[in-house]
């Protein structure tokens, strides 16, 4: 890959990461505001308003489950795929932490508590099976993995 293409790809990836992080924070901290904003735009455009709760975030949840399913499938196909294992650990532990945080901060819903426990256990299990004990090991060439 030439240097110009590599630089373009890096800049593009950084822009995507920044946008995803900001939008994720908006979804997390202003879920009702997000829906209200798009409902106001829908009304002005003569379109139907979306439901106050439900379908939009169901789509995001299903997309998240699609991603973690693919990561788990990749681990089935290539058990040594540390990148997929790390991403799956991150996804599950982030889901767990966010569930526990929301449960503690405001919404004492059983589903948040259960999700926090289940995703926490899954994230730690993936870490233990695929990643634990691998850090710091050196391949025969002497460089860290």
């Amino acid at each position: 890959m030439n240097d110009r293409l590599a630089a373009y790809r890096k800049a593009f990836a950084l822009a995507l990461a920044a946008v995803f992080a900001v939008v994720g924070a908006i979804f997390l901290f202003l879920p009702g505001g997000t829906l209200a904003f798009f409902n106001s735009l829908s009304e002005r455009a003569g379109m139907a308003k979306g439901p106050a709760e439900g379908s939009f975030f169901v789509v995001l949840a299903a997309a998240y489950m699609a991603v973690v399913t693919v990561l788990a499938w990749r681990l089935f196909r290539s058990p040594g795929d540390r990148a997929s294992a790390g991403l799956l650990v991150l996804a599950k532990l982030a889901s767990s932490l966010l569930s526990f945080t929301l449960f503690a901060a405001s919404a004492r819903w059983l589903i948040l508590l259960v999700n926090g426990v289940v995703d926490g256990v899954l994230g730690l299990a993936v870490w233990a099976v695929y990643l634990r004990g691998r850090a710091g090991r050196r391949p025969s060439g002497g460089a860290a993995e």
Side-chain angles (χ1 to χ4, degrees), residues 108-128:
R108 299 253 191 251
W109 301 336
L110 177 61
I111 190 71
L112 290 173
L113 190 58
V114 169
N115 190 68
V117 170
V118 169
D119 276 1
V121 167
L122 289 172
L124 293 173
V126 171
W127 174 78

mmCIF file with all atom_site columns, all heavy atoms in Angstrom, residues 108-128:
data_model
loop_
_atom_site.group_PDB
_atom_site.id
_atom_site.type_symbol
_atom_site.label_atom_id
_atom_site.label_alt_id
_atom_site.label_comp_id
_atom_site.label_asym_id
_atom_site.label_entity_id
_atom_site.label_seq_id
_atom_site.pdbx_PDB_ins_code
_atom_site.Cartn_x
_atom_site.Cartn_y
_atom_site.Cartn_z
_atom_site.occupancy
_atom_site.B_iso_or_equiv
_atom_site.pdbx_formal_charge
_atom_site.auth_seq_id
_atom_site.auth_comp_id
_atom_site.auth_asym_id
_atom_site.auth_atom_id
_atom_site.pdbx_PDB_model_num
ATOM 1   N N   . ARG A 1 108 ? -33.526 1.112   38.024 1.00 0.00 ? 108 ARG A N   1
ATOM 2   C CA  . ARG A 1 108 ? -33.371 -0.153  38.760 1.00 0.00 ? 108 ARG A CA  1
ATOM 3   C C   . ARG A 1 108 ? -34.192 -1.257  38.079 1.00 0.00 ? 108 ARG A C   1
ATOM 4   O O   . ARG A 1 108 ? -35.083 -1.836  38.669 1.00 0.00 ? 108 ARG A O   1
ATOM 5   C CB  . ARG A 1 108 ? -33.810 0.033   40.204 1.00 0.00 ? 108 ARG A CB  1
ATOM 6   C CG  . ARG A 1 108 ? -33.022 1.052   40.951 1.00 0.00 ? 108 ARG A CG  1
ATOM 7   C CD  . ARG A 1 108 ? -32.102 0.376   41.934 1.00 0.00 ? 108 ARG A CD  1
ATOM 8   N NE  . ARG A 1 108 ? -31.514 1.333   42.847 1.00 0.00 ? 108 ARG A NE  1
ATOM 9   C CZ  . ARG A 1 108 ? -30.243 1.665   42.792 1.00 0.00 ? 108 ARG A CZ  1
ATOM 10  N NH1 . ARG A 1 108 ? -29.473 1.141   41.896 1.00 0.00 ? 108 ARG A NH1 1
ATOM 11  N NH2 . ARG A 1 108 ? -29.750 2.524   43.640 1.00 0.00 ? 108 ARG A NH2 1
ATOM 12  N N   . TRP A 1 109 ? -33.836 -1.512  36.823 1.00 0.00 ? 109 TRP A N   1
ATOM 13  C CA  . TRP A 1 109 ? -34.543 -2.522  36.055 1.00 0.00 ? 109 TRP A CA  1
ATOM 14  C C   . TRP A 1 109 ? -33.789 -3.842  36.165 1.00 0.00 ? 109 TRP A C   1
ATOM 15  O O   . TRP A 1 109 ? -32.562 -3.894  36.007 1.00 0.00 ? 109 TRP A O   1
ATOM 16  C CB  . TRP A 1 109 ? -34.637 -2.133  34.593 1.00 0.00 ? 109 TRP A CB  1
ATOM 17  C CG  . TRP A 1 109 ? -35.335 -0.835  34.329 1.00 0.00 ? 109 TRP A CG  1
ATOM 18  C CD1 . TRP A 1 109 ? -36.251 -0.210  35.113 1.00 0.00 ? 109 TRP A CD1 1
ATOM 19  C CD2 . TRP A 1 109 ? -35.154 0.008   33.197 1.00 0.00 ? 109 TRP A CD2 1
ATOM 20  N NE1 . TRP A 1 109 ? -36.667 0.956   34.536 1.00 0.00 ? 109 TRP A NE1 1
ATOM 21  C CE2 . TRP A 1 109 ? -36.003 1.116   33.352 1.00 0.00 ? 109 TRP A CE2 1
ATOM 22  C CE3 . TRP A 1 109 ? -34.366 -0.071  32.064 1.00 0.00 ? 109 TRP A CE3 1
ATOM 23  C CZ2 . TRP A 1 109 ? -36.081 2.142   32.418 1.00 0.00 ? 109 TRP A CZ2 1
ATOM 24  C CZ3 . TRP A 1 109 ? -34.445 0.942   31.134 1.00 0.00 ? 109 TRP A CZ3 1
ATOM 25  C CH2 . TRP A 1 109 ? -35.300 2.023   31.309 1.00 0.00 ? 109 TRP A CH2 1
ATOM 26  N N   . LEU A 1 110 ? -34.511 -4.906  36.373 1.00 0.00 ? 110 LEU A N   1
ATOM 27  C CA  . LEU A 1 110 ? -33.909 -6.229  36.462 1.00 0.00 ? 110 LEU A CA  1
ATOM 28  C C   . LEU A 1 110 ? -33.123 -6.563  35.205 1.00 0.00 ? 110 LEU A C   1
ATOM 29  O O   . LEU A 1 110 ? -32.038 -7.146  35.277 1.00 0.00 ? 110 LEU A O   1
ATOM 30  C CB  . LEU A 1 110 ? -34.991 -7.292  36.720 1.00 0.00 ? 110 LEU A CB  1
ATOM 31  C CG  . LEU A 1 110 ? -34.501 -8.736  36.776 1.00 0.00 ? 110 LEU A CG  1
ATOM 32  C CD1 . LEU A 1 110 ? -33.497 -8.933  37.905 1.00 0.00 ? 110 LEU A CD1 1
ATOM 33  C CD2 . LEU A 1 110 ? -35.678 -9.691  36.912 1.00 0.00 ? 110 LEU A CD2 1
ATOM 34  N N   . ILE A 1 111 ? -33.623 -6.179  34.040 1.00 0.00 ? 111 ILE A N   1
ATOM 35  C CA  . ILE A 1 111 ? -32.949 -6.496  32.780 1.00 0.00 ? 111 ILE A CA  1
ATOM 36  C C   . ILE A 1 111 ? -31.544 -5.903  32.740 1.00 0.00 ? 111 ILE A C   1
ATOM 37  O O   . ILE A 1 111 ? -30.619 -6.508  32.208 1.00 0.00 ? 111 ILE A O   1
ATOM 38  C CB  . ILE A 1 111 ? -33.797 -6.050  31.550 1.00 0.00 ? 111 ILE A CB  1
ATOM 39  C CG1 . ILE A 1 111 ? -33.202 -6.592  30.253 1.00 0.00 ? 111 ILE A CG1 1
ATOM 40  C CG2 . ILE A 1 111 ? -33.918 -4.540  31.477 1.00 0.00 ? 111 ILE A CG2 1
ATOM 41  C CD1 . ILE A 1 111 ? -33.358 -8.060  30.067 1.00 0.00 ? 111 ILE A CD1 1
ATOM 42  N N   . LEU A 1 112 ? -31.346 -4.718  33.316 1.00 0.00 ? 112 LEU A N   1
ATOM 43  C CA  . LEU A 1 112 ? -30.012 -4.119  33.358 1.00 0.00 ? 112 LEU A CA  1
ATOM 44  C C   . LEU A 1 112 ? -29.087 -4.912  34.270 1.00 0.00 ? 112 LEU A C   1
ATOM 45  O O   . LEU A 1 112 ? -27.916 -5.132  33.947 1.00 0.00 ? 112 LEU A O   1
ATOM 46  C CB  . LEU A 1 112 ? -30.090 -2.669  33.827 1.00 0.00 ? 112 LEU A CB  1
ATOM 47  C CG  . LEU A 1 112 ? -30.733 -1.688  32.855 1.00 0.00 ? 112 LEU A CG  1
ATOM 48  C CD1 . LEU A 1 112 ? -30.906 -0.328  33.518 1.00 0.00 ? 112 LEU A CD1 1
ATOM 49  C CD2 . LEU A 1 112 ? -29.898 -1.566  31.588 1.00 0.00 ? 112 LEU A CD2 1
ATOM 50  N N   . LEU A 1 113 ? -29.606 -5.321  35.410 1.00 0.00 ? 113 LEU A N   1
ATOM 51  C CA  . LEU A 1 113 ? -28.809 -6.105  36.338 1.00 0.00 ? 113 LEU A CA  1
ATOM 52  C C   . LEU A 1 113 ? -28.423 -7.453  35.725 1.00 0.00 ? 113 LEU A C   1
ATOM 53  O O   . LEU A 1 113 ? -27.262 -7.859  35.768 1.00 0.00 ? 113 LEU A O   1
ATOM 54  C CB  . LEU A 1 113 ? -29.588 -6.308  37.641 1.00 0.00 ? 113 LEU A CB  1
ATOM 55  C CG  . LEU A 1 113 ? -28.829 -6.906  38.805 1.00 0.00 ? 113 LEU A CG  1
ATOM 56  C CD1 . LEU A 1 113 ? -27.623 -6.050  39.169 1.00 0.00 ? 113 LEU A CD1 1
ATOM 57  C CD2 . LEU A 1 113 ? -29.762 -7.039  40.004 1.00 0.00 ? 113 LEU A CD2 1
ATOM 58  N N   . VAL A 1 114 ? -29.382 -8.124  35.119 1.00 0.00 ? 114 VAL A N   1
ATOM 59  C CA  . VAL A 1 114 ? -29.114 -9.416  34.488 1.00 0.00 ? 114 VAL A CA  1
ATOM 60  C C   . VAL A 1 114 ? -28.119 -9.247  33.343 1.00 0.00 ? 114 VAL A C   1
ATOM 61  O O   . VAL A 1 114 ? -27.160 -10.019 33.217 1.00 0.00 ? 114 VAL A O   1
ATOM 62  C CB  . VAL A 1 114 ? -30.422 -10.084 34.003 1.00 0.00 ? 114 VAL A CB  1
ATOM 63  C CG1 . VAL A 1 114 ? -30.142 -11.282 33.115 1.00 0.00 ? 114 VAL A CG1 1
ATOM 64  C CG2 . VAL A 1 114 ? -31.282 -10.469 35.196 1.00 0.00 ? 114 VAL A CG2 1
ATOM 65  N N   . ASN A 1 115 ? -28.312 -8.239  32.495 1.00 0.00 ? 115 ASN A N   1
ATOM 66  C CA  . ASN A 1 115 ? -27.389 -8.017  31.388 1.00 0.00 ? 115 ASN A CA  1
ATOM 67  C C   . ASN A 1 115 ? -25.989 -7.699  31.897 1.00 0.00 ? 115 ASN A C   1
ATOM 68  O O   . ASN A 1 115 ? -24.998 -8.174  31.334 1.00 0.00 ? 115 ASN A O   1
ATOM 69  C CB  . ASN A 1 115 ? -27.883 -6.895  30.477 1.00 0.00 ? 115 ASN A CB  1
ATOM 70  C CG  . ASN A 1 115 ? -27.064 -6.825  29.208 1.00 0.00 ? 115 ASN A CG  1
ATOM 71  O OD1 . ASN A 1 115 ? -27.116 -7.720  28.380 1.00 0.00 ? 115 ASN A OD1 1
ATOM 72  N ND2 . ASN A 1 115 ? -26.283 -5.766  29.064 1.00 0.00 ? 115 ASN A ND2 1
ATOM 73  N N   . GLY A 1 116 ? -25.903 -6.912  32.957 1.00 0.00 ? 116 GLY A N   1
ATOM 74  C CA  . GLY A 1 116 ? -24.598 -6.598  33.524 1.00 0.00 ? 116 GLY A CA  1
ATOM 75  C C   . GLY A 1 116 ? -23.871 -7.846  33.979 1.00 0.00 ? 116 GLY A C   1
ATOM 76  O O   . GLY A 1 116 ? -22.672 -8.020  33.714 1.00 0.00 ? 116 GLY A O   1
ATOM 77  N N   . VAL A 1 117 ? -24.582 -8.731  34.648 1.00 0.00 ? 117 VAL A N   1
ATOM 78  C CA  . VAL A 1 117 ? -23.969 -9.977  35.127 1.00 0.00 ? 117 VAL A CA  1
ATOM 79  C C   . VAL A 1 117 ? -23.609 -10.887 33.950 1.00 0.00 ? 117 VAL A C   1
ATOM 80  O O   . VAL A 1 117 ? -22.476 -11.369 33.836 1.00 0.00 ? 117 VAL A O   1
ATOM 81  C CB  . VAL A 1 117 ? -24.899 -10.704 36.124 1.00 0.00 ? 117 VAL A CB  1
ATOM 82  C CG1 . VAL A 1 117 ? -24.388 -12.101 36.428 1.00 0.00 ? 117 VAL A CG1 1
ATOM 83  C CG2 . VAL A 1 117 ? -25.059 -9.888  37.401 1.00 0.00 ? 117 VAL A CG2 1
ATOM 84  N N   . VAL A 1 118 ? -24.565 -11.136 33.068 1.00 0.00 ? 118 VAL A N   1
ATOM 85  C CA  . VAL A 1 118 ? -24.339 -12.075 31.956 1.00 0.00 ? 118 VAL A CA  1
ATOM 86  C C   . VAL A 1 118 ? -23.215 -11.586 31.046 1.00 0.00 ? 118 VAL A C   1
ATOM 87  O O   . VAL A 1 118 ? -22.282 -12.339 30.731 1.00 0.00 ? 118 VAL A O   1
ATOM 88  C CB  . VAL A 1 118 ? -25.645 -12.319 31.166 1.00 0.00 ? 118 VAL A CB  1
ATOM 89  C CG1 . VAL A 1 118 ? -25.372 -13.066 29.871 1.00 0.00 ? 118 VAL A CG1 1
ATOM 90  C CG2 . VAL A 1 118 ? -26.649 -13.067 32.027 1.00 0.00 ? 118 VAL A CG2 1
ATOM 91  N N   . ASP A 1 119 ? -23.272 -10.325 30.615 1.00 0.00 ? 119 ASP A N   1
ATOM 92  C CA  . ASP A 1 119 ? -22.228 -9.839  29.713 1.00 0.00 ? 119 ASP A CA  1
ATOM 93  C C   . ASP A 1 119 ? -20.881 -9.740  30.424 1.00 0.00 ? 119 ASP A C   1
ATOM 94  O O   . ASP A 1 119 ? -19.833 -9.960  29.803 1.00 0.00 ? 119 ASP A O   1
ATOM 95  C CB  . ASP A 1 119 ? -22.628 -8.505  29.080 1.00 0.00 ? 119 ASP A CB  1
ATOM 96  C CG  . ASP A 1 119 ? -23.502 -8.691  27.856 1.00 0.00 ? 119 ASP A CG  1
ATOM 97  O OD1 . ASP A 1 119 ? -23.822 -9.849  27.511 1.00 0.00 ? 119 ASP A OD1 1
ATOM 98  O OD2 . ASP A 1 119 ? -23.857 -7.675  27.230 1.00 0.00 ? 119 ASP A OD2 1
ATOM 99  N N   . GLY A 1 120 ? -20.880 -9.433  31.712 1.00 0.00 ? 120 GLY A N   1
ATOM 100 C CA  . GLY A 1 120 ? -19.633 -9.423  32.470 1.00 0.00 ? 120 GLY A CA  1
ATOM 101 C C   . GLY A 1 120 ? -19.008 -10.805 32.528 1.00 0.00 ? 120 GLY A C   1
ATOM 102 O O   . GLY A 1 120 ? -17.801 -10.973 32.298 1.00 0.00 ? 120 GLY A O   1
ATOM 103 N N   . VAL A 1 121 ? -19.825 -11.809 32.824 1.00 0.00 ? 121 VAL A N   1
ATOM 104 C CA  . VAL A 1 121 ? -19.326 -13.192 32.867 1.00 0.00 ? 121 VAL A CA  1
ATOM 105 C C   . VAL A 1 121 ? -18.819 -13.614 31.486 1.00 0.00 ? 121 VAL A C   1
ATOM 106 O O   . VAL A 1 121 ? -17.742 -14.212 31.362 1.00 0.00 ? 121 VAL A O   1
ATOM 107 C CB  . VAL A 1 121 ? -20.418 -14.152 33.391 1.00 0.00 ? 121 VAL A CB  1
ATOM 108 C CG1 . VAL A 1 121 ? -20.047 -15.606 33.150 1.00 0.00 ? 121 VAL A CG1 1
ATOM 109 C CG2 . VAL A 1 121 ? -20.681 -13.893 34.871 1.00 0.00 ? 121 VAL A CG2 1
ATOM 110 N N   . LEU A 1 122 ? -19.581 -13.299 30.446 1.00 0.00 ? 122 LEU A N   1
ATOM 111 C CA  . LEU A 1 122 ? -19.153 -13.662 29.086 1.00 0.00 ? 122 LEU A CA  1
ATOM 112 C C   . LEU A 1 122 ? -17.850 -12.965 28.706 1.00 0.00 ? 122 LEU A C   1
ATOM 113 O O   . LEU A 1 122 ? -16.945 -13.593 28.137 1.00 0.00 ? 122 LEU A O   1
ATOM 114 C CB  . LEU A 1 122 ? -20.243 -13.332 28.071 1.00 0.00 ? 122 LEU A CB  1
ATOM 115 C CG  . LEU A 1 122 ? -21.486 -14.214 28.119 1.00 0.00 ? 122 LEU A CG  1
ATOM 116 C CD1 . LEU A 1 122 ? -22.566 -13.648 27.202 1.00 0.00 ? 122 LEU A CD1 1
ATOM 117 C CD2 . LEU A 1 122 ? -21.157 -15.643 27.745 1.00 0.00 ? 122 LEU A CD2 1
ATOM 118 N N   . GLY A 1 123 ? -17.744 -11.680 28.982 1.00 0.00 ? 123 GLY A N   1
ATOM 119 C CA  . GLY A 1 123 ? -16.516 -10.945 28.663 1.00 0.00 ? 123 GLY A CA  1
ATOM 120 C C   . GLY A 1 123 ? -15.310 -11.516 29.388 1.00 0.00 ? 123 GLY A C   1
ATOM 121 O O   . GLY A 1 123 ? -14.240 -11.707 28.791 1.00 0.00 ? 123 GLY A O   1
ATOM 122 N N   . LEU A 1 124 ? -15.467 -11.813 30.671 1.00 0.00 ? 124 LEU A N   1
ATOM 123 C CA  . LEU A 1 124 ? -14.361 -12.394 31.437 1.00 0.00 ? 124 LEU A CA  1
ATOM 124 C C   . LEU A 1 124 ? -14.029 -13.804 30.961 1.00 0.00 ? 124 LEU A C   1
ATOM 125 O O   . LEU A 1 124 ? -12.862 -14.205 30.939 1.00 0.00 ? 124 LEU A O   1
ATOM 126 C CB  . LEU A 1 124 ? -14.680 -12.377 32.926 1.00 0.00 ? 124 LEU A CB  1
ATOM 127 C CG  . LEU A 1 124 ? -14.749 -10.981 33.558 1.00 0.00 ? 124 LEU A CG  1
ATOM 128 C CD1 . LEU A 1 124 ? -15.231 -11.076 34.997 1.00 0.00 ? 124 LEU A CD1 1
ATOM 129 C CD2 . LEU A 1 124 ? -13.409 -10.264 33.457 1.00 0.00 ? 124 LEU A CD2 1
ATOM 130 N N   . ALA A 1 125 ? -15.053 -14.571 30.572 1.00 0.00 ? 125 ALA A N   1
ATOM 131 C CA  . ALA A 1 125 ? -14.818 -15.927 30.070 1.00 0.00 ? 125 ALA A CA  1
ATOM 132 C C   . ALA A 1 125 ? -14.035 -15.892 28.763 1.00 0.00 ? 125 ALA A C   1
ATOM 133 O O   . ALA A 1 125 ? -13.090 -16.671 28.575 1.00 0.00 ? 125 ALA A O   1
ATOM 134 C CB  . ALA A 1 125 ? -16.148 -16.662 29.886 1.00 0.00 ? 125 ALA A CB  1
ATOM 135 N N   . VAL A 1 126 ? -14.408 -14.990 27.860 1.00 0.00 ? 126 VAL A N   1
ATOM 136 C CA  . VAL A 1 126 ? -13.672 -14.875 26.593 1.00 0.00 ? 126 VAL A CA  1
ATOM 137 C C   . VAL A 1 126 ? -12.236 -14.449 26.886 1.00 0.00 ? 126 VAL A C   1
ATOM 138 O O   . VAL A 1 126 ? -11.284 -14.987 26.314 1.00 0.00 ? 126 VAL A O   1
ATOM 139 C CB  . VAL A 1 126 ? -14.364 -13.891 25.622 1.00 0.00 ? 126 VAL A CB  1
ATOM 140 C CG1 . VAL A 1 126 ? -13.492 -13.610 24.408 1.00 0.00 ? 126 VAL A CG1 1
ATOM 141 C CG2 . VAL A 1 126 ? -15.720 -14.438 25.188 1.00 0.00 ? 126 VAL A CG2 1
ATOM 142 N N   . TRP A 1 127 ? -12.062 -13.518 27.787 1.00 0.00 ? 127 TRP A N   1
ATOM 143 C CA  . TRP A 1 127 ? -10.723 -13.091 28.161 1.00 0.00 ? 127 TRP A CA  1
ATOM 144 C C   . TRP A 1 127 ? -9.915  -14.273 28.695 1.00 0.00 ? 127 TRP A C   1
ATOM 145 O O   . TRP A 1 127 ? -8.766  -14.489 28.296 1.00 0.00 ? 127 TRP A O   1
ATOM 146 C CB  . TRP A 1 127 ? -10.799 -11.970 29.207 1.00 0.00 ? 127 TRP A CB  1
ATOM 147 C CG  . TRP A 1 127 ? -9.449  -11.587 29.727 1.00 0.00 ? 127 TRP A CG  1
ATOM 148 C CD1 . TRP A 1 127 ? -8.521  -10.808 29.109 1.00 0.00 ? 127 TRP A CD1 1
ATOM 149 C CD2 . TRP A 1 127 ? -8.864  -12.005 30.966 1.00 0.00 ? 127 TRP A CD2 1
ATOM 150 N NE1 . TRP A 1 127 ? -7.399  -10.716 29.886 1.00 0.00 ? 127 TRP A NE1 1
ATOM 151 C CE2 . TRP A 1 127 ? -7.583  -11.439 31.037 1.00 0.00 ? 127 TRP A CE2 1
ATOM 152 C CE3 . TRP A 1 127 ? -9.312  -12.802 32.019 1.00 0.00 ? 127 TRP A CE3 1
ATOM 153 C CZ2 . TRP A 1 127 ? -6.741  -11.639 32.121 1.00 0.00 ? 127 TRP A CZ2 1
ATOM 154 C CZ3 . TRP A 1 127 ? -8.477  -12.992 33.106 1.00 0.00 ? 127 TRP A CZ3 1
ATOM 155 C CH2 . TRP A 1 127 ? -7.206  -12.417 33.146 1.00 0.00 ? 127 TRP A CH2 1
ATOM 156 N N   . ALA A 1 128 ? -10.507 -15.046 29.591 1.00 0.00 ? 128 ALA A N   1
ATOM 157 C CA  . ALA A 1 128 ? -9.798  -16.173 30.202 1.00 0.00 ? 128 ALA A CA  1
ATOM 158 C C   . ALA A 1 128 ? -9.441  -17.242 29.175 1.00 0.00 ? 128 ALA A C   1
ATOM 159 O O   . ALA A 1 128 ? -8.346  -17.800 29.195 1.00 0.00 ? 128 ALA A O   1
ATOM 160 C CB  . ALA A 1 128 ? -10.638 -16.780 31.323 1.00 0.00 ? 128 ALA A CB  1
#
